[in-house]
Amino acid sequence: MSFLPSARITRLRIQGFRCIRQTQFKPTARVNVVFGPNAAGKTSLLEAIYMLATGRSFRTHRASEAIRYETDQLDLAGDLETTKGDSLHFRVSRHRSGRLRATANDERVDAVSELAAWLPLQLMSPQSATLPVGNPEQRRGFVDAGLFYTNPHFRHDWNQYRHYLRQRNSALKQPVLSDDLAVWEQGMAQAGCRVSRLRTQYAADLEPLFRRYGHDLLREQSAKVEFVQGWPKADSLLDVLVAGRAQDHRLGYSRQGPHRADLALTIKGRPARELLSGGQAKLMACALQLAQAHLLWERYQRQSIFLIDDLAAELDEEHFERVLGALCALEAQAILTALDSVVARRIEAIVEKIHSNISVGIFHIAEGQLSIWPAPEKRAGDA
């Protein structure tokens, strides 16, 4: 099975995106820190990268909200270099009307997922910190993202399952059950079992790496992850759907199946959400994402890009350093935000202490404008 080579960002041009009127960003190949006061555009920069890769925002379901108030369109253009040394140019434009246009090397692409396949992202943000303790949908999405980057068949199988699920749910809402229900259930069972097999294997591959990072970051040896498929293990999905028709009909939706799956996280045999503080939940989320990035690289040669918003929040010096150390060991491109130059310099010092060969790029952002920091004319004196 062959995979696309992953890529890193060499230049990003942003226009009409939230508080950013127009700017460009030339990150280094490894660790980059962008600092500035609140509302300066730090998170917007990460959001722009995320939208370039996915066509979506991680801050809102209404992507038009990311368009700057004084314009009707946002434009994102990215120059990339693949792990094989090839150059790529991506562009994404979104109009306030909802119209989306995406190109790769100036050729129109039908779906932004064609761009996303080149840029495996690991987003560490206040929202992603709830991954271990939030709702199952968030953890399903985490597993599915890993499969999207590593298995070319997964997306088709998952879309097929969702098609049959929608058809069955529509039939369940009718006063009288349709004869077609058996057809939808057969399709759900076939596609759903394929989806579940892929998810189960992916979770099994992820588990030893999660235990390793869980120990490294939390010093917790009993942290475990197990995939829960969404219906009883001992039963076939088709049998469950047929047996559950009457109750599902009364409720108007399908109660069991891969759409109800979860990635169960436990510590000492208890659900992690019952034991973790806010800082510990953030560390466990980091452990999951580091484990996923490690798996993508080790097994599939897919290098992730880390987008990390305010890593220092809720972490003491020791744990902050552990996360940075694990991040540097992966040799991935990372873009971190920080509130001020003190935190930026702190990140630089930790990275250089751990890996002296890594050069950290530091950038200042103010009112949506990015600049290298210190300014080139000040570097000689700074040194």
Side-chain angles (χ1 to χ4, degrees), residues 311-381:
L311 179 63
E314 296 187 333
L315 297 184
D316 59 26
E317 186 74 21
E318 179 184 358
H319 291 98
F320 186 66
E321 188 167 329
R322 286 181 195 172
V323 175
L324 286 175
L327 180 65
C328 291
L330 286 173
E331 300 186 4
Q333 186 175 44
I335 300 156
L336 302 90
T337 68
L339 189 60
D340 54 40
S341 61
V342 175
V343 179
R345 285 298 200 196
R346 177 181 162 207
I347 293 171
E348 181 183 46
I350 292 171
V351 170
E352 290 182 351
K353 181 177 75 172
I354 298 169
H355 291 275
S356 58
N357 61 324
I358 296 179
S359 177
V360 178
I362 300 181
F363 303 82
H364 179 242
I365 189 166
E367 298 181 349
Q369 288 298 309
L370 268 165
S371 58
I372 297 173
W373 188 88
E377 62 272 12
K378 295 182 180 179
R379 287 180 185 165

Side-chain angles (χ1 to χ4, degrees), residues 134-180:
N135 61 57
E137 182 180 4
Q138 193 176 5
R139 290 184 290 277
R140 285 196 300 273
F142 171 77
V143 173
D144 291 352
L147 283 166
F148 170 76
Y149 293 129
T150 59
N151 192 300
H153 306 297
F154 174 75
R155 186 178 180 86
H156 173 266
D157 290 340
W158 177 233
N159 285 340
Q160 193 172 55
Y161 173 79
R162 291 196 301 171
H163 167 73
Y164 288 119
L165 174 64
R166 285 192 296 269
Q167 296 293 339
R168 185 176 191 264
N169 283 346
S170 178
L172 291 171
K173 290 179 172 63
Q174 303 306 312
V176 179
L177 290 179
S178 166
D179 293 338
D180 291 332

Side-chain angles (χ1 to χ4, degrees), residues 65-90:
E65 293 179 3
I67 299 173
R68 187 175 168 85
Y69 65 89
E70 61 188 16
T71 186
D72 289 327
Q73 179 172 300
L74 65 82
D75 289 288
L76 306 171
D79 296 331
L80 315 173
E81 182 180 30
T82 74
T83 49
K84 292 185 176 181
D86 298 323
S87 296
L88 295 171
H89 178 74
F90 288 175

Side-chain angles (χ1 to χ4, degrees), residues 34 46 55 79 94 127 132 195 211 231 236 261 264-265 288 299 306 315 329:
V34 179
L46 301 186
D79 296 331
R94 183 176 283 277
Q127 295 93 330
V195 165
R211 280 192 282 109
W231 74 95
S236 79
L265 303 172
L288 279 168
R299 186 74 60 87
F306 282 82
L315 297 184

